Amino acid sequence: MFQASSRGTGDDQRPSAPDAGAPLAGARLLVGDRDAATAAATAEALRTRGAAHVRTAASPREFRAAEHADRVWDLAVCDSAFAGAELTAFLEDWHAHHPAAPVIVTEDRPSADRAVAALRGRAADLVPRHDPDALARSAAHALAHPPYAPQAATAAAPAPEPVRMLVVGAHPDDVEIAAGGTIHRRADDGWDITVLTLSPGGGGGDPAERRREAHRAAESMGARLVLEDLPDGSIRDDSSTVRVIERTVAETAPDLVLVHSDHDTHQDHRAVHRSTRVACRQVPRVFCYQSPSATVDYRPNRFVALREQDVEAKLASIRAHGSQAATRWYLEEDLLRSTARYWGRYSRCRYAEPLEVLRDAAPVHTH
Ligand SMILES: [Zn+2]
């Protein structure tokens, strides 16, 4: 059953065509161990059991570089002392980037502290560090039972109604900047998402061009766009604006609404916030996102964890607003990425977008 192979070192090539019957046939594995020789020996043992591609890393830094260089991983193996006291955070970071790929922790001798850290980091298993047979068995089991894949029981159940989310913004690109990653992530989760932009943004460029860009941007995030025609710079906080918003609320019947915060220096943003509060008085959940013009009084208390692909999609949606990107300081990609990275500290993930809860009257399971 096990194939013979020559001993490889470092980042490796597959030794020969994998045996389709081997326990790890075709799998792509990333092995982190504080000792390079142990990592290489572990990798070799996994290769002989059919793994198609095994890459090794002898430090968390090497691990991250390898992790993001290849991106498509079926499973990771991580020595319990590899990330030191940061083991749980290290494992969580792995899950954030590879939600369908389990991670197995290896250890020299049982330790309650490390077991707790591995458990908190949702490790699939804890196995002895120098026992390739136990590791291969555990890896084969974990690959057959991925942590987040739909199980048979849920596959048989009727598909739940998608959550309906409405994201309201004053101008083209407001929503992308503030919640583009959240929209992409939830669209990926199957949510039904509408973006309502109240002004075509005549004050910031050619309206026809901005209109085309806005549609492209919404589409790239996985949302549909409703673009209204209120005057850029003088959106009013009155019943006429409320009625415009109510129209889309009635059409989309949202479970959840995202909108500008009242803590914002832009008068249009505040007017949209206040009118939306009125128009969405029956919506169970209303949260406020952070615009570049938000003030220090903006105080988020909910954080949407973003994956690398959500951040990439957010940046792509902003690039779709080509006429703005060159002239606006707040559209610089390093600022957008580092802002998401900053908020990640509150979400136990690498990246996040913040929300301020205005109303949350729904059962928690629909979050
Ligand atoms: Zn705006």
Side-chain angles (χ1 to χ4, degrees), residues 169-175 177 210 232 260 264 266 268-269 291-293 330:
H171 314 107
D173 82 16
D174 281 348
V175 157
I177 295 164
R210 293 200 72 178
D232 185 12
H260 292 285
D264 195 301
H266 197 305
D268 281 355
H269 295 179
S291 293
S293 48
Y330 51 80

Side-chain angles (χ1 to χ4, degrees), residues 163 191 256 285 362-367:
V163 177
W191 289 23
L256 153 79
R285 288 180 293 159
V364 284
H365 72 266
T366 59
H367 167 53

Side-chain angles (χ1 to χ4, degrees), residues 104-272:
I104 292 172
V105 171
T106 61
E107 60 176 2
D108 290 313
R109 68 185 72 80
S111 141
D113 285 354
R114 296 243 169 95
V116 168
L119 195 66
R120 287 197 175 130
R122 293 179 286 141
D125 202 0
L126 204 58
V127 301
R129 184 160 163 245
H130 296 282
D131 185 343
D133 283 329
L135 176 59
R137 273 196 307 275
S138 172
H141 183 269
L143 288 169
H145 303 87
Y148 305 104
Q151 300 295 309
T154 52
E161 278 279 295
V163 177
R164 293 180 301 272
M165 179 163 79
L166 174 64
V167 190
V168 187
H171 314 107
D173 82 16
D174 281 348
V175 157
E176 288 83 342
I177 295 164
T182 300
I183 293 172
H184 182 262
R185 167 126 209 195
R186 295 315 188 201
D188 240 18
D189 290 341
W191 289 23
D192 181 58
I193 304 173
T194 303
V195 170
L196 170 62
T197 297
L198 291 168
S199 162
D206 169 31
E209 175 63 13
R210 293 200 72 178
R211 193 174 279 275
R212 277 193 298 276
E213 290 172 350
H215 279 280
R216 271 202 301 273
E219 208 173 283
S220 78
M221 293 182 291
R224 89 178 69 80
L225 175 69
V226 176
L227 187 51
E228 296 288 357
D229 210 16
L230 299 184
D232 185 12
S234 43
I235 297 178
R236 293 198 306 228
D237 167 23
D238 67 10
S239 59
S240 64
T241 303
V242 172
R243 274 198 301 277
V244 168
I245 299 167
E246 277 177 342
R247 203 159 56 209
T248 298
V249 171
E251 279 166 15
T252 58
D255 303 300
L256 153 79
V257 167
L258 308 186
V259 67
H260 292 285
S261 170
D262 204 26
H263 305 298
D264 195 301
T265 57
H266 197 305
Q267 73 279 8
D268 281 355
H269 295 179
R270 289 196 306 276
V272 169

Side-chain angles (χ1 to χ4, degrees), residues 29 49 124 148 150 172 206 275:
L29 313 176
R49 287 157 176 82
Y148 305 104
D206 169 31
S275 300

